[in-house]
Amino acid sequence: MVENGFKPALGLMFVKLEETIEFYNLYAVACGFIPRKYTQTRFRDRLIDKKSMELIGYAIDTFYEGRNHRLCSLKEREFQKNVRTLNLYMKQTIVNNCKLNIGATKTFRIMTEQSNGYANIDASLTEFKNFKRNIKCYIGDKYADMILDYLKALSESQDGFYYAYQVDEDNCLAKIFCADAQARMNYSLFGDTITFDPTYGTNKYHMAFTPFPGVDNHKKSVTFAAALVDHENDGSFIWMFMKFLDCMGNKEPQCILTDQDPAIKLRVRYVFKKARHRYCMWHIMKKLTDKVDSQIYKETDFVERICGVVWDTDLEPIEFEEKWTQVINDFELNDNTWLTYMYGKRHKWIPAYFRDLPLGCLLKTTQRSESQNSYFKRFESIDGTLVEFWLRFQSAMEQQRYNHKFLDAASDSTLPQVSSKTMIEKHASKIYTHTVFYEFQEQVQMAPCSCDIRGFSEQGNMHIINVEDAYRKHKIFQVAHNNESKETTCTCKMFERKGILCKHIIWIISGKELQSIPEQYIETRWTKKSYRKPLYGLDEKLLQDYDPTDLRKLELSRVWS
């Protein structure tokens, strides 16, 4: 019948069966009834759609007699299966919302609101769910190949994009590491201190997601690189650290902050030869309630006193040791093995032992890592595929960078409010980002009311000024000023620890009526124009040394980055 053509009762001729079925479906939609699904019947080696052909001829010929289908009213027309179809805009919306961890059900509700009601949307919730299901089915077991093909394409199309991967003994994807040019540039600018804290179970394959965050010039979190590993073991940590160094041109951070995981601390020491390894203070101090007798913890001021010693960034190592010993003796805790052990490891986590490390007290806890993990989890799903995870990770990075650009624009186009008439504060408002300026302004405001000169002496070219700090229980700090080099240092070492001048130095140099902050006391990473420091040359290599007066090279590198 198909070969000779099929002629329905309306007088139309169809050469192919598919054309007949398509016409019938369109006819059913136009007239207002739901067509039946046809079945296929096989006779030996031939496939004949016997039932559907009979149905088509019967339905069209006898439709108006009402013996085959019930007519649908206009109110019911939206429920016809042939009417409910996803258009390209709906499909694209489902995919885009997937990047934000918004499921099919919520996407459907959003689109119904945008369409002013369910009647105005040409699809049902079932179609939305089925399309999302079909995407996952299409990905299936091809997720590894799709991810690697995409990363390869990015590395070929984007200069400075770095990625690496590793497969296990079963040839399954086990590890991924990646960082684009923007992330690598951020590390060159703000990679003084990084934190490392893996988070487990970010996808249905239970791979550990590990970002490498730091602090940018607005004191916000910035991600330098990210990795996914199948296991949190020695091999995975070594692989991630080695790829991180390779990605960043073997430039180590000054300090890397982690928890006390034995596997992590051993591998940090194995891979990073120059970086100081520091333990998270918060992870240590939260164990205090379990390690100290509950009666001492609840009925005395032990916690308040020990925290006052531990978190004090102005203490010298000798001062810390004296105060710690005094607290331990006062509460008779000399036999507490945990406190004794942590005191033995004090050079790994107490701020007093990081005072001489440039920006050593910039981070004291892994809160940045935990906040980054929490931030990325908003874009993650425990049952998501790696392809979905990658899309959501990219979306999260775009949002993070948008926020950074927004703050850059605010700092470039506006000036913060200046509270004093000092030229130093006005200069700071022009060079520092808003966040850093307000910290500097706080030091300027405290200087007149908290600092008082208690002594003065000369040692060769050095002027030694003893400054009493009223806010530090009348503690004396020594400010040394070199008449030849014009350098000024303070025993509080705030500039070394945080990269911002302390109130003691501000109090001394303010009397000299300086028009601006001396250049040696301007930490580049806190300035508005820190991003103009070059990272890549045209040869795609990291620039370790450059001449700041070579404006052509500086501008070319900036544009290339």
Side-chain angles (χ1 to χ4, degrees):
M1 294 178 64
V2 176
E3 295 178 357
N4 297 328
F6 174 67
K7 184 178 181 180
L10 295 182
L12 298 178
M13 180 66 69
F14 300 96
V15 178
K16 296 182 179 180
L17 176 62
E18 290 78 10
E19 296 177 357
T20 310
I21 296 172
E22 182 180 0
F23 169 79
Y24 178 66
N25 288 334
L26 295 174
Y27 178 78
V29 172
C31 294
F33 65 86
I34 301 175
R36 294 176 180 174
K37 292 183 179 180
Y38 65 91
T39 57
Q40 294 178 335
T41 305
R42 180 179 294 277
F43 293 93
R44 297 181 181 179
D45 59 341
R46 292 184 302 165
L47 186 66
I48 301 177
D49 294 288
K50 182 177 180 181
K51 181 178 179 181
S52 66
M53 292 179 65
E54 291 177 352
L55 175 61
I56 292 173
Y58 175 74
I60 295 179
D61 189 32
T62 61
F63 167 69
Y64 291 104
E65 299 180 11
R67 290 179 292 178
N68 189 49
H69 295 287
R70 180 180 67 83
L71 283 174
C72 297
S73 64
L74 293 177
K75 295 181 178 180
E76 297 174 322
R77 185 69 59 88
E78 62 181 285
F79 300 109
Q80 290 184 251
K81 292 183 179 180
N82 281 16
V83 175
R84 301 197 308 264
T85 56
L86 291 175
N87 57 37
L88 183 60
Y89 172 71
M90 294 178 182
K91 293 178 181 179
Q92 187 63 48
T93 303
I94 294 174
V95 174
N96 291 340
N97 286 355
C98 178
K99 298 177 184 179
L100 301 175
N101 199 18
I102 298 177
T105 301
K106 186 174 290 187
T107 301
F108 176 71
R109 293 203 300 266
I110 293 173
M111 296 206 69
T112 54
E113 291 297 327
Q114 294 176 343
S115 304
N116 295 323
Y118 290 89
N120 299 322
I121 187 169
D122 297 331
S124 67
L125 176 60
T126 302
E127 275 75 35
F128 277 70
K129 289 183 176 179
N130 288 345
F131 182 74
K132 182 73 177 296
R133 176 205 61 196
N134 293 340
I135 292 177
K136 289 191 174 184
C137 290
Y138 173 77
I139 295 174
D141 295 332
K142 299 180 291 184
Y143 66 89
D145 293 333
M146 295 178 69
I147 287 289
L148 296 180
D149 289 344
Y150 184 67
L151 294 177
K152 182 180 179 182
L154 286 178
S155 66
E156 293 174 351
S157 61
Q158 296 184 11
D159 294 321
F161 185 87
Y162 178 96
Y163 82 99
Y165 70 94
Q166 190 178 82
V167 297
D168 58 18
E169 59 274 7
D170 297 324
N171 203 31
C172 295
L173 186 62
K175 301 176 182 64
I176 306 176
F177 180 94
C178 65
D180 61 8
Q182 180 66 46
R184 299 169 73 184
M185 182 179 73
N186 289 336
Y187 178 77
S188 177
L189 301 175
F190 314 119
D192 316 279
T193 303
I194 64 173
T195 65
F196 182 80
D197 184 20
T199 178
Y200 188 72
T202 56
N203 49 70
K204 73 177 185 178
Y205 307 103
H206 301 294
M207 298 183 75
F209 172 62
T210 308
F212 290 80
V215 182
D216 65 12
N217 57 335
H218 301 282
K219 293 211 165 182
K220 301 295 183 181
S221 296
V222 57
T223 303
F224 303 132
L228 276 171
V229 294
D230 55 350
H231 294 98
E232 295 182 60
N233 52 27
D234 292 355
S236 296
F237 293 140
I238 290 178
W239 186 85
M240 282 189 289
F241 294 153
M242 293 294 289
K243 294 304 175 184
F244 181 83
L245 285 180
D246 183 53
C247 172
M248 303 306 175
N250 291 317
K251 178 184 176 182
E252 295 189 17
Q254 294 178 359
C255 183
I256 178 170
L257 194 69
T258 71
D259 58 20
Q260 289 180 278
D261 188 327
I264 294 179
K265 64 183 182 182
L266 288 175
R267 300 313 156 193
V268 168
R269 189 186 312 160
Y270 177 80
V271 177
F272 295 97
K273 306 300 183 183
K274 300 179 182 178
R276 288 277 301 274
H277 184 201
R278 184 173 184 177
Y279 296 153
C280 171
M281 295 180 65
W282 181 81
H283 278 96
I284 294 174
M285 294 303 292
K286 77 173 184 178
K287 300 176 183 178
L288 198 61
T289 57
D290 298 327
K291 303 298 182 179
V292 178
D293 185 82
S294 60
Q295 185 176 3
I296 296 177
Y297 177 77
K298 295 178 180 180
E299 299 179 3
T300 67
D301 61 345
F302 168 74
V303 174
E304 180 180 355
R305 288 186 59 185
I306 198 69
C307 287
V309 174
V310 167
W311 293 95
D312 193 340
T313 57
D314 288 330
L315 294 179
E316 293 282 355
I318 296 177
E319 294 177 308
F320 165 76
E321 293 168 6
E322 291 176 353
K323 290 180 176 293
W324 173 283
T325 303
Q326 183 179 355
V327 173
I328 297 299
N329 291 335
D330 289 347
F331 292 93
E332 299 179 354
L333 293 172
N334 293 284
D335 296 333
N336 188 297
T337 55
W338 183 80
L339 288 173
T340 303
Y341 173 78
M342 294 313 306
Y343 179 74
K345 296 291 184 180
R346 58 190 180 277
H347 61 285
K348 285 285 190 179
W349 62 288
I350 296 298
Y353 298 90
F354 293 87
R355 289 162 54 84
D356 295 324
L357 180 68
L359 298 174
C361 292
L362 181 61
L363 294 174
K364 295 185 287 292
T365 70
T366 57
Q367 182 182 1
R368 293 282 177 176
S369 286
E370 292 171 4
S371 64
Q372 284 281 278
N373 295 340
S374 177
Y375 170 75
F376 285 117
K377 280 182 180 179
R378 293 185 298 164
F379 298 86
E380 299 166 2
S381 175
I382 194 66
D383 60 344
T385 64
L386 284 184
V387 176
E388 290 176 308
F389 174 81
W390 175 255
L391 293 175
R392 291 167 184 170
F393 170 71
Q394 284 187 311
S395 180
M397 289 296 297
E398 288 176 5
Q399 180 177 329
Q400 182 186 95
R401 289 171 181 176
Y402 171 80
N403 294 337
H404 178 84
K405 290 179 180 178
F406 180 84
L407 294 174
D408 276 343
S411 293
D412 287 340
S413 59
T414 62
L415 290 176
Q417 186 174 0
V418 178
S419 62
S420 69
K421 296 182 180 180
T422 60
M423 298 303 296
I424 288 181
E425 185 180 359
K426 291 181 180 179
H427 181 229
S429 68
K430 297 177 182 179
I431 62 172
Y432 289 135
T433 61
H434 288 1
T435 304
V436 177
F437 167 75
Y438 287 123
E439 290 192 11
F440 181 84
Q441 185 184 64
E442 184 180 358
Q443 297 295 317
V444 173
Q445 293 172 344
M446 289 191 299
C449 57
S450 66
C451 298
D452 193 8
I453 297 178
R454 292 301 184 187
F456 178 83
S457 62
E458 292 188 15
Q459 297 178 6
N461 294 325
M462 300 293 294
H463 286 180
I464 309 299
I465 305 102
N466 294 327
V467 179
E468 182 181 14
D469 191 341
Y471 288 149
R472 295 294 300 159
K473 296 182 179 179
H474 305 287
K475 183 175 179 177
I476 302 295
F477 293 95
Q478 285 190 347
V479 179
H481 178 74
N482 191 311
N483 294 325
E484 292 184 356
S485 64
K486 305 301 182 182
E487 292 186 359
T488 307
T489 60
C490 180
T491 54
C492 75
K493 297 186 178 180
M494 181 175 176
F495 180 75
E496 291 81 358
R497 292 184 284 113
K498 296 184 178 181
I500 302 175
L501 279 180
C502 65
K503 54 191 174 183
H504 314 120
I505 294 180
I506 294 174
W507 173 245
I508 298 300
I509 65 177
S510 294
K512 301 181 182 297
E513 298 182 355
L514 297 178
Q515 299 297 311
S516 61
I517 302 174
E519 186 176 352
Q520 63 267 30
Y521 301 123
I522 300 176
E523 182 64 46
T524 306
R525 71 170 343 271
W526 298 131
T527 62
K528 298 178 181 181
K529 304 301 181 183
S530 61
Y531 61 88
R532 291 193 175 179
K533 179 182 176 182
L535 173 67
Y536 296 109
L538 299 182
D539 54 359
E540 297 184 20
K541 294 182 179 180
L542 290 170
L543 294 177
Q544 302 295 342
D545 300 313
Y546 68 96
D547 183 3
T549 61
D550 189 350
L551 298 180
R552 181 176 177 274
K553 183 177 181 181
L554 177 66
E555 207 56 33
L556 279 175
S557 179
R558 173 172 166 265
V559 173
W560 185 258
S561 298

